[in-house]
Amino acid sequence: RANDRMLDCFVYTTQVSEGISAQLALMADVTKGIERGEFQMHYQPKIELKTGRVFGAEALIRWHHPTRGWVRPDEFIPNAEHSTLILKISEFVLREVIQQIHQWQQQQFQLQIAINISAHDLLQPGFSDLLLNLLNEYNVANEAIELEITEGSLIDDLDQVINELLKLTEANVSVSIDDFGTGYSSLQYLYRLPISLLKVDQVFVKGLPADEDASHIAKAAVVLAQKLGITSLAEGIETQECLDYLGQIGCDYGQGYLFSKPLSADDFVAWYTSYEPI
Ligand code: C2E
Ligand code: CA
Ligand code: CA
Ligand code: CA
């Protein structure tokens, strides 16, 4: 038995150190990647369902790694969220997106752009100041930014998150809750944070209208948003039937491959210019 325990201990320490060295390698890779310009932002349109109008876009990060090729955000964001690395990424994203909005403004192109942040970002002192300073530096209106908050891991200090968010919403930055229905404490977030948009996770959207359970959940989420006086958005719309159904249940906004995949800034402008409401 003592041997077993030693073995357990051995397995545990190698796992931990493997975890730590993988984490360190990722950190070094991302830091270098940012310096070398391997990261860029893509944009996916957000559509008002009643009118078919494009009212904004979500900024999604893309990493072109010199040897691994395209690396999906799901492969590095969740790991980055465990360390200050997420802050480095968010700093890059904020600057990149705000610069882009500034450039689009000069071309008379006005859109609200949503940025994904982790609730952990908000626990870092100075995050809201960083955002507000960048907006100021690039002469972009605070209203042009929306923050999408996800919760991949539990937050101990929700009060501090709330304080940071209030600072931002008082400055007219809007906040939405992302992946609603799949996170750790979605309902509590909805209850306590200054949220103006609820994004229904794509797992409840994909199978609409055929999937009955998904349709109950999607409907409940839309009604919940209405009762709370906030708007709702369904993500992952891929078919016309799904879009029609969401319109029927009173969902306000939508996003998904049916309209467009996330596109580079230039491709996004080209798409937008020739877009005709569905
Ligand atoms: P998310 O915020 O839920 O983003 C939606 C994801 O669904 C995106 O994947 C998007 O490309 C994909 N998607 C959009 N429409 C459809 C559709 O109709 N069908 C299907 N099957 N998929 C669709 P992506 O870009 O790979 O991003 C994955 C996740 O990585 C995001 O999920 C978000 O949590 C995170 N992420 C992406 N960019 C950033 C970033 O700049 N910062 C942070 N903190 N997280 C990011
Ligand atoms: Ca999102
Ligand atoms: Ca989402
Ligand atoms: Ca997600």
Side-chain angles (χ1 to χ4, degrees):
R1 199 175 279 158
N3 264 346
D4 279 359
R5 209 170 298 144
M6 251 167 68
L7 193 62
D8 278 354
C9 193
F10 176 73
V11 169
Y12 176 73
T13 43
T14 48
Q15 274 174 353
V16 168
S17 59
E18 262 172 30
I20 290 171
S21 59
Q23 190 73 24
L24 288 174
L26 177 73
M27 243 168 156
D29 250 21
V30 168
T31 309
K32 246 188 285 160
I34 291 177
E35 282 161 14
R36 293 179 182 163
E38 292 164 16
F39 288 85
Q40 62 175 92
M41 301 310 293
H42 279 200
Y43 297 86
Q44 186 179 38
K46 293 181 162 189
I47 313 286
E48 184 177 48
L49 297 188
K50 245 189 217 145
T51 57
R53 179 183 74 97
V54 180
F55 81 99
E58 175 176 3
L60 293 153
I61 198 164
R62 297 291 176 259
W63 184 8
H64 193 259
H65 191 278
T67 54
R68 291 160 68 194
W70 289 104
V71 184
R72 297 165 35 97
D74 286 335
E75 290 175 42
F76 61 93
I77 294 285
N79 281 324
E81 280 182 344
H82 297 305
S83 71
T84 51
L85 186 57
I86 190 63
L87 221 90
K88 245 190 197 144
I89 295 172
S90 293
E91 241 181 271
F92 165 82
V93 171
L94 289 179
R95 185 174 288 276
E96 194 70 14
V97 169
I98 290 169
Q99 239 167 356
Q100 184 64 66
I101 300 176
H102 172 78
Q103 198 185 318
W104 278 341
Q105 265 176 5
Q106 291 179 318
Q107 303 161 8
Q108 311 302 322
F109 199 57
Q110 308 273 1
L111 289 168
Q112 190 186 51
I113 306 296
I115 292 176
N116 288 282
I117 61 161
S118 152
H120 288 275
D121 282 318
L122 296 163
L123 290 173
Q124 303 298 323
F127 181 83
S128 56
D129 291 335
L130 173 71
L131 170 57
L132 295 173
N133 288 338
L134 282 170
L135 286 164
N136 198 27
E137 184 183 331
Y138 288 98
N139 201 17
V140 169
N142 297 355
E143 288 81 357
I145 291 287
E146 180 189 337
L147 296 178
E148 296 190 1
I149 316 264
T150 355
E151 204 22 48
S153 57
L154 229 48
I155 287 287
D156 311 315
D157 195 354
L158 203 54
D159 287 335
Q160 201 192 326
V161 170
I162 294 170
N163 283 338
E164 286 289 299
L165 282 182
L166 284 174
K167 232 193 309 189
L168 292 168
T169 53
E170 273 158 22
N172 295 326
V173 171
S174 35
V175 176
S176 48
I177 185 163
D178 201 359
D179 300 345
F180 183 73
T182 61
Y184 266 87
S185 40
S186 296
L187 282 174
Q188 197 196 355
Y189 274 36
L190 202 53
Y191 178 57
R192 296 193 56 199
L193 306 185
I195 304 276
S196 56
L197 170 77
L198 181 161
K199 294 191 78 175
V200 183
D201 194 87
Q202 39 182 300
V203 296
F204 309 118
V205 175
K206 267 191 192 131
L208 298 178
D211 183 334
E212 270 186 49
D213 289 346
S215 80
H216 288 309
I217 294 172
K219 248 189 279 184
V222 168
V223 170
L224 181 58
Q226 282 165 352
K227 297 274 185 201
L228 293 173
I230 63 178
T231 52
S232 54
L233 179 149
E235 49 183 7
I237 304 177
E238 294 184 356
T239 66
Q240 184 67 47
E241 297 70 44
C242 177
L243 174 65
D244 293 343
Y245 181 79
L246 288 161
Q248 280 166 31
I249 65 174
C251 186
D252 300 301
Y253 304 104
Q255 207 181 328
Y257 293 169
L258 179 65
F259 302 107
S260 171
K261 293 196 173 193
L263 300 168
S264 69
D266 289 344
D267 289 347
F268 179 79
V269 171
W271 174 88
Y272 185 50
T273 317
S274 64
Y275 169 75
E276 283 175 27
I278 295 180

